[in-house]
């Protein structure tokens, strides 16, 4: 069903025409979307100025007021730390005065402490006359009353936390406090319950190691998904709300003095240890291990470890059997060169033989995914430094390969896998247009012209997954006419802590469904803290793992 409008007409609810940080980023994404028109800006007029100190004393006890001040000081310090360590995420600043958009000034009717906002019949009537498809609340209080119904699609808003875990404030804090591996965010259609609206979109990014950094990261990464939600309204799709838990769980607020102290001790001792590791040149060293025989998760401790060469490590192993011989292709990372290349080992029973480097470029290569097409062998390694997905063709197996074709240009993508099903070639890859996160987003492309083409079409449901615990590819198993996608899972500030094995139940131009069937944790060797890749065939199984040195 096509939309009868030329564009989706939306209203923005703000307190100011000067927008930056999260809101600036959201507006930038909307302005860049040709299907969406910001038709109206609804500006909340400032209410009569109150004596801030007296207002806060009235609202809070002396103890709570001091806790608020302490938390504010902590936030300012962490903002300085964030800028010092990471510079910034280059959020867009937007002056809405620079855009020729109808502006409506309305006066919210505030509750005693200013948290709840209702609007007069006059203001409601003026907004209703704009005939908006949906209102996006960027600023303002908890909305009550008729304002929630004034647009055809209601009022939508972000909440930066997984609403099944954390309702309330502050965004990005409690996930660090409780060391959750991921930090959630939702886009919800508002109702009168705090963070209890109907969920239109939910995502999870990897939690960063201190509060302000985590908050800014989830702000930056979440903003781009506003277009995904608004395009559902544009396409007049039926809005399938996500399941949610009953909202009888705790509403979180700014931490109290004990929680602030606990956070400081936990977080800054963690940061101190990270600094010590950097000073002492401690490294994370990946290893590859294999076993003669079909994969059995209960035999992982029997795997044979391939010894790393000095100042190098290997990871991301892929198995291939050619003329009754088994080979492993791996990322071969050099600490000296600070980049990876692709190397090959031959397996013979419980022994391995290093055959040499097979692909080396002046940029980083990893994840050497192998596939066969028309009796030729190809490797699709990670080439994100080139901002493209490319393929190499085998000239003489196993040592000679040559650049063949770029499948998709101008894409920030890692860990690509390809396979054919139902006469269609499918390409699953981990994308991020912001180029700051390769863990959270899985996108699918498909081709009816074979794999060696640049005519790849994006799946209509892209991004298929937005979750740092399920999105990142960690291998592909094709067995007994079944397809299994392996995915990485993160720990708190731990990359590649474990992985899941998922059976692909359905993949089509309209859908993607997979079912988790197994999980592998890093408990099969001593002193390892991560494992993030699996490959196997009827003869061998191969896995990787990481240790600290």
């Amino acid at each position: 069903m096509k939309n009868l409008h030329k564009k989706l007409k939306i209203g923005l609810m703000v307190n100011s025409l000067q927008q930056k940080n999260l809101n600036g980023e959201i507006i930038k994404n909307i302005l860049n979307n040709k299907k969406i028109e910001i038709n109206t800006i609804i500006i909340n007029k400032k209410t009569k100025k109150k004596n801030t100190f007296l207002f806060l004393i009235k609202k809070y006890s002396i103890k709570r007021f001091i806790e608020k001040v302490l938390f504010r000081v902590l936030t300012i310090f962490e903002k300085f730390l964030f800028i010092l360590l990471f510079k910034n995420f280059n959020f867009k600043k937007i002056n809405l005065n620079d855009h020729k958009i109808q502006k409506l000034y309305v006066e919210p009717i505030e509750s005693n402490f200013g948290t709840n906002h209702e609007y007069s019949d006059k203001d409601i009537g003026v907004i209703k006359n704009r005939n908006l498809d949906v209102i996006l609340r960027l600023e303002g209080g908890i909305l009550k009353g008729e304002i929630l119904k004034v647009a055809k699609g209601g009022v939508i808003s972000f909440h930066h936390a997984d609403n099944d875990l954390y309702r309330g404030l502050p965004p990005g804090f409690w996930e660090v406090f409780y060391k959750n591996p991921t930090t959630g965010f939702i886009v919800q259609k508002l109702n009168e319950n705090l963070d209890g609206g109907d969920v239109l979109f939910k995502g999870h990014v990897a939690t960063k190691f201190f509060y302000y950094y985590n908050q800014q990261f989830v702000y930056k990464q979440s903003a781009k998904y506003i277009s995904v939600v608004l395009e559902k309204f544009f396409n007049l799709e039926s809005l399938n709300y996500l399941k949610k838990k009953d909202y009888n769980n705790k509403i979180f607020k700014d931490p109290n003095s004990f929680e602030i102290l606990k956070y400081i001790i936990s977080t800054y001792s963690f940061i101190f240890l990270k600094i010590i590791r950097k000073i002492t040149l401690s490294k994370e060293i990946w290893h590859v291990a294999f076993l003669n025989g079909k994969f059995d998760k209960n035999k992982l401790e029997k795997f044979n470890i391939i010894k790393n060469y000095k100042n190098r490590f290997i990871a991301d192993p892929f198995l291939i059997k050619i003329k009754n011989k088994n080979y492993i292709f791996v990322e071969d990372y050099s600490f000296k060169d600070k980049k990876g290349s692709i190397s090959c080992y031959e397996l013979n029973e419980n022994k391995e033989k290093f055959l040499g480097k097979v692909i080396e470029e002046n940029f980083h290569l990893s994840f050497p995914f192998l596939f066969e097409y028309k009796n030729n062998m190809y490797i699709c390694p990670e080439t994100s430094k080139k901002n493209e997905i490319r393929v190499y063709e085998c000239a003489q197996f196993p040592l000679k390969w040559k650049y063949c074709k770029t499948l998709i240009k101008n894409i920030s993508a890692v860990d690509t896998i390809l396979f054919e099903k139902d006469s269609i070639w499918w390409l699953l890859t981990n994308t991020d247009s912001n180029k700051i996160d390769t863990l959270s987003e899985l996108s699918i492309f498909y081709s009816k012209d074979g794999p060696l083409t640049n005519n790849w079409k994006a799946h209509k449901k892209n991004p298929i997954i937005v979750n740092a615990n399920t999105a990142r590819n960690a291998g592909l198993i094709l067995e007994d006419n079944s397809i299994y996608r392996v995915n990485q899972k993160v720990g708190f500030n731990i990359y590649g802590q474990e992985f899941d094995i998922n059976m692909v139940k359905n993949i089509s131009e309209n859908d993607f469904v997979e079912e988790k069937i197994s999980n592998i944790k890093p408990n099969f060797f001593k002193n390892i803290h991560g494992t993030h890749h699996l490959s196997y065939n009827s003869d061998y199984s191969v896995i990787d793992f990481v240790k600290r040195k």
Side-chain angles (χ1 to χ4, degrees), residues 394-408:
C394 184
Q396 184 178 339
F397 192 86
L399 294 179
K400 292 185 179 179
W401 299 76
K402 61 182 181 180
Y403 167 76
C404 175
K405 190 174 187 66
T406 294
L407 306 186
I408 304 177

Side-chain angles (χ1 to χ4, degrees), residues 516-527:
K516 175 182 169 181
I517 62 169
S518 187
N519 169 260
I520 307 297
K521 297 184 183 300
N523 55 11
F524 45 90
F525 293 138
K526 290 183 179 179
N527 302 318

Side-chain angles (χ1 to χ4, degrees), residues 190-375:
L190 297 179
N191 57 31
E192 295 195 355
N193 297 319
L194 176 61
D195 298 329
D198 293 315
V199 178
L200 295 159
F201 188 93
K202 179 182 284 192
H204 294 82
V205 297
T207 301
K208 300 306 176 183
F209 59 91
F210 64 92
Y211 151 59
Y212 188 81
Y213 178 19
N214 193 46
Q215 182 189 81
Q216 297 302 294
F217 185 74
V218 71
Y219 281 175
K220 180 71 175 182
Q221 289 302 91
S222 63
K224 59 185 176 181
Y225 298 112
I226 190 62
S227 288
V228 175
V229 175
L230 291 175
E231 284 189 21
K232 288 184 178 181
F233 286 94
F234 175 83
N235 294 323
L236 295 181
E237 293 180 17
S238 57
L239 298 174
N240 297 318
Y241 300 116
L242 303 180
K243 291 181 180 179
K244 59 185 180 182
K245 295 180 180 179
D246 293 333
Y247 285 120
N248 53 11
N249 52 323
K250 173 182 174 182
I251 294 178
F252 285 79
K253 299 180 181 179
D254 287 349
N256 60 35
S257 53
F258 173 75
E259 290 165 333
I260 291 171
L261 178 61
K262 183 178 178 181
Y263 167 83
I264 290 172
I265 293 171
S266 174
T267 300
Y268 288 89
S269 60
F270 183 84
I271 292 173
F272 178 73
L273 285 174
K274 285 178 73 73
I275 294 170
I276 292 298
R277 287 191 190 119
K278 190 166 185 178
I279 292 172
T280 58
L281 302 179
S282 175
K283 298 175 182 175
E284 291 197 336
I285 308 293
W286 286 89
H287 302 261
V288 169
F290 68 94
L291 186 68
N292 191 348
K294 192 174 180 180
F295 178 71
D296 183 345
K297 65 183 292 185
N298 297 313
K299 294 182 179 179
L300 290 170
E301 71 279 359
K302 298 179 180 180
F303 274 46
N304 305 288
I305 300 173
I306 299 175
K307 185 178 179 180
N308 285 327
Y309 285 91
K310 186 178 180 181
N311 294 321
R312 287 157 56 186
F313 70 68
I314 58 175
D316 294 350
F318 282 95
L319 266 170
I320 187 75
K321 185 176 181 179
I322 300 291
K323 295 180 179 178
N324 292 319
K325 290 185 178 181
N326 284 278
Y327 303 86
I328 307 175
F329 287 77
V330 296
E331 171 195 351
D332 189 342
Y333 186 85
S334 166
F335 286 106
K336 179 182 176 182
D337 298 332
K338 296 182 179 179
K339 67 180 180 70
S341 56
I342 306 304
S343 290
C344 181
Y345 289 78
E346 183 180 343
L347 300 182
N348 185 8
E349 294 185 354
N350 292 323
K351 295 181 180 179
E352 80 283 347
K353 180 182 178 182
F354 178 66
L355 299 182
K357 292 185 179 181
V358 299
I359 306 176
E360 188 164 19
E361 299 280 12
N362 60 4
F363 52 87
H364 177 71
L365 299 172
S366 62
F367 202 84
F369 179 79
L370 295 127
F371 67 96
E372 186 177 353
Y373 179 64
K374 292 186 177 179
N375 298 318

Side-chain angles (χ1 to χ4, degrees), residues 13 44 106-109 117-121 123-124 143 147:
M13 178 172 281
N44 290 309
V106 295
E107 190 166 346
I109 304 167
H117 284 186
E118 292 191 60
Y119 294 87
S120 67
D121 291 343
D123 284 340
I124 292 294
L143 300 183
I147 187 66

Side-chain angles (χ1 to χ4, degrees), residues 106-164:
V106 295
E107 190 166 346
I109 304 167
E110 296 185 353
S111 59
N112 285 340
F113 292 122
T115 53
N116 297 341
H117 284 186
E118 292 191 60
Y119 294 87
S120 67
D121 291 343
K122 178 183 176 182
D123 284 340
I124 292 294
V126 172
I127 298 170
K128 198 168 188 177
N129 287 339
R130 298 300 299 167
N131 196 29
L132 299 171
D133 293 309
V134 66
I135 294 172
L136 173 61
R137 187 200 67 174
L138 297 178
E139 294 175 319
I142 300 169
L143 300 183
K144 303 282 186 179
E146 289 300 310
I147 187 66
L148 296 168
K149 307 172 188 174
V150 74
K152 297 175 188 132
V155 182
I156 64 173
S157 180
F158 273 96
H159 170 61
H160 287 90
D162 185 332
N163 59 317
D164 290 334

